[in-house]
C-alpha cells in the first residue's frame, strides 16, 4: 500500500513511517518541519516539505492510507490558539476532503486524551468531552471532522496519551516529560517539575502506539474511536524518583508553577483497543 504519514518527521509519525516501510509499504511523509527534523525520517520514505494547509491533490496521488499525525504542538496553542485551531481543526478537514477526492481508503487519525479534560473516575471512549486547553479543543475539532467522514473512508481515531520513546523531543518547552527529565539529568542534574508532581500519567511506549496504528490499518475497523494507551498510572513525582534512582550522579528537583490546563487524574480504560485491535501495552520501562 502507499501510505501517507503526516507529521512523519516528528516523534510518533517517524516511528509509524519506519514500521510501515519495514512491513513493505510505500511511505510518503508530509511535514512542515515546524517541530520535526529530517534526521528523524526513515531511509526510503519520500518527503514533501509542506504544511498540511497547503497540500494539493497531486501530492496525495495514489495514496491508499493516511496516518494523520501532524499537529500543532501544545506550546503553540498557548502562544497562538488561532493558528493551533487552523492546523489541528481546519488542516484536518482539508486533509480529509483531499483524501476523499483522491480515493484514500483508510484514514487513521492521531487524537489525544486531552479531548476529555479532567474526568472524575475512569475515562472510557464514552466519557464526555470537556477539553480544558486550546490544544484539547482544536484536537477535538479535528477528530469530530474525522467522524463526519466515516461513510467515505475507513476512519479510525486513536486517542494517544503520554507517549514516550526514542526521538521524543526533550526541550522543556516542547517535549514530553520522560525525555525532558532524562535530558535534564544528563545535562545538569536539575529536574524542573511543574506543580506538586502528584499529576498522574499513563505512560505509553511509542512502539505500542505504532502497533495500534498498524492494527487499525490491517483489521479494517471503521468509524471507531479507541483510547490508545497503557493503563499503568504513574505520578510525575514517581517518574522523577525512578529516574533519579537510576542516575549515577546527584539530582535535584526545581518546582515551578503548575502548567495551565494540566490534568491531574488519568485513569484510562483501554479494554476496547485490547479486545478489538489486539494491541498489548507493556507498561512503562525507563
Ligand atoms: N506525544 C504524545 O504523547 C501525544 C499524546 C497525545 C496525542 N498526540 C498526537 O500525536 C501526534 C504526533 O505527536 P508527536 O508527539 O509525534 O508530535 P511531534 O511534534 O513530534 O510531531 C508532529 C509533527 O507534525 C509536524 N507539523 C506540525 N504542524 C504541521 C503542519 N501544519 N503541516 C505539516 N506538518 C506539521 C511537525 O513538524 C512535527 O514533525 C499529534 O497529532 C499529537 O497531537 C501525541
Amino acid at each position: 500500500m502507499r501510505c501517507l504519514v503526516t507529521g512523519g518527521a516528528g516523534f510518533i509519525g517517524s516511528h509509524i513511517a519506519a514500521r510501515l516501510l519495514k512491513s513493505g509499504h510505500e511511505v510518503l511523509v508530509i511535514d512542515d518541519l515546524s517541530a520535526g527534523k529530517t534526521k528523524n525520517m526513515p531511509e526510503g520514505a519520500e518527503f514533501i516539505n509542506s504544511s498540511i494547509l497547503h497540500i494539493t491533490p497531486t501530492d496525495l496521488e495514489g495514496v491508499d492510507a493516511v496516518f494523520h499525525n501532524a499537529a500543532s504542538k501544545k506550546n503553540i496553542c498557548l502562544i497562538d490558539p488561532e493558528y493551533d485551531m487552523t492546523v489541528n481543526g481546519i488542516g484536518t478537514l482539508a486533509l480529509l476532503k483531499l483524501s476523499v477526492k483522491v480515493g484514500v481508503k483508510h484514514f487513521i487519525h492521531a487524537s489525544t486524551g486531552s479531548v476529555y479534560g479532567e474526568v472524575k473516575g475512569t475515562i472510557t471512549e464514552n466519557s464526555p468531552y470537556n477539553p480544558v486547553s486550546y490544544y484539547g479543543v482544536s484536537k477535538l475539532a479535528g477528530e469530530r471532522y474525522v467522524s463526519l467522514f466515516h461513510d467515505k473512508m475507513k476512519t479510525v481515531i486513536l486517542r494517544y496519551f503520554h507517549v514516550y520513546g526514542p526521538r521524543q523531543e526533550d526541550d522543556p518547552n516542547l517535549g514530553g516529560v520522560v525525555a525532558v527529565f532524562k535530558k535534564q539529568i544528563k545535562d545538569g542534574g536539575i529536574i524542573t517539575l511543574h506543580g506538586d508532581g502528584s499529576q498522574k500519567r499513563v505512560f505509553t511506549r511509542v512502539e505500542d502506539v505504532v502497533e495500534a496504528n498498524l492494527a487499525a490499518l490491517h483489521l479494517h475497523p471503521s468509524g471507531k474511536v479507541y483510547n490508545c494507551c497503557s493503563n499503568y498510572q504513574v505520578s510525575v513525582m514517581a517518574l522523577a524518583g525512578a529516574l533519579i534512582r537510576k542516575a549515577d550522579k546527584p539530582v535535584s528537583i526545581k518546582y515551578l508553577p503548575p502548567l495551565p490546563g494540566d490534568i491531574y487524574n488519568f485513569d484510562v480504560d483501554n479494554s476496547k483497543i485490547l479486545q478489538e485491535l489486539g494491541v498489548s501495552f507493556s507498561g512503562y520501562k525507563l
Side-chain angles (χ1 to χ4, degrees):
M1 263 189 226
R2 182 165 172 79
C3 301
L4 165 63
V5 183
T6 68
F11 164 45
I12 300 170
S14 66
H15 284 274
I16 295 172
R19 179 69 173 78
L20 288 168
L21 282 166
K22 206 171 151 197
S23 303
H25 298 290
E26 267 177 46
V27 173
L28 166 67
V29 166
I30 294 183
D31 196 301
D32 68 357
L33 302 180
S34 55
K37 300 176 183 96
T38 45
K39 69 172 188 202
N40 285 345
M41 274 185 291
E43 217 172 286
E46 292 166 48
F47 175 50
I48 299 179
N49 180 350
S50 167
S51 169
I52 54 165
L53 299 170
H54 303 134
I55 48 179
T56 64
T58 317
D59 295 330
L60 265 63
E61 230 160 61
V63 169
D64 303 295
V66 173
F67 295 81
H68 181 31
N69 282 259
S72 147
K73 279 190 114 58
K74 280 189 184 177
N75 70 315
I76 303 286
C77 88
L78 295 175
I79 303 161
D80 190 347
E82 289 82 4
Y83 182 70
D84 173 76
M85 178 55 94
T86 305
V87 174
N88 297 351
I90 308 297
T92 299
L93 175 58
L95 184 63
L96 285 160
K97 288 170 72 177
L98 275 186
S99 298
V100 171
K101 199 168 189 170
V102 303
V104 166
K105 295 170 205 70
H106 301 266
F107 194 100
I108 297 156
H109 180 70
S111 187
T112 168
S114 300
V115 300
Y116 298 113
E118 186 97 52
V119 174
K120 284 200 183 84
T122 305
I123 299 175
T124 72
E125 285 82 356
N126 296 323
S127 294
Y129 304 123
N130 186 24
V132 292
S133 62
Y134 292 125
Y135 170 80
V137 171
S138 67
K139 290 292 291 184
L140 177 57
E143 69 155 69
R144 296 309 294 163
Y145 283 132
V146 175
S147 301
L148 294 181
F149 284 71
H150 74 96
D151 55 346
K152 298 184 176 62
M153 298 175 280
K154 289 189 192 318
T155 62
V156 177
I157 294 166
L158 298 174
R159 294 186 181 137
Y160 305 163
F161 295 70
H162 317 136
V163 187
Y164 73 95
R167 301 198 285 280
Q168 184 173 27
E169 175 64 58
D170 56 13
D171 177 320
N173 297 315
L174 302 169
V177 66
V178 176
V180 170
F181 282 1
K182 279 186 171 177
K183 178 155 196 300
Q184 289 177 328
I185 289 173
K186 191 167 152 239
D187 286 355
I190 302 172
I191 284 177
T192 52
L193 199 157
H194 290 272
D196 63 6
S198 67
Q199 59 272 47
K200 298 260 178 36
R201 302 291 183 248
V202 282
F203 292 112
T204 305
R205 294 167 69 236
V206 68
E207 293 85 349
D208 296 339
V209 170
V210 169
E211 290 315 312
N213 276 271
L214 269 281
L217 177 68
H218 294 307
L219 297 176
H220 302 286
S222 188
K224 298 272 191 167
V225 182
Y226 298 101
N227 288 334
C228 181
C229 61
S230 78
N231 60 0
Y232 301 93
Q233 294 176 51
V234 179
S235 72
V236 171
M237 182 58 91
L239 168 72
L243 289 170
I244 289 170
R245 280 192 295 282
K246 268 187 82 177
D248 52 2
K249 59 178 171 187
V251 178
S252 57
I253 300 179
K254 182 177 170 193
Y255 289 90
L256 299 174
L259 289 170
D262 198 4
I263 294 167
Y264 270 65
N265 285 311
F266 281 98
D267 170 12
V268 189
D269 179 359
N270 62 1
S271 55
K272 186 175 170 189
I273 195 165
L274 301 184
Q275 283 159 18
E276 294 188 12
L277 296 190
V279 182
S280 56
F281 294 94
S282 36
Y284 96 115
K285 297 187 196 103
L286 297 172

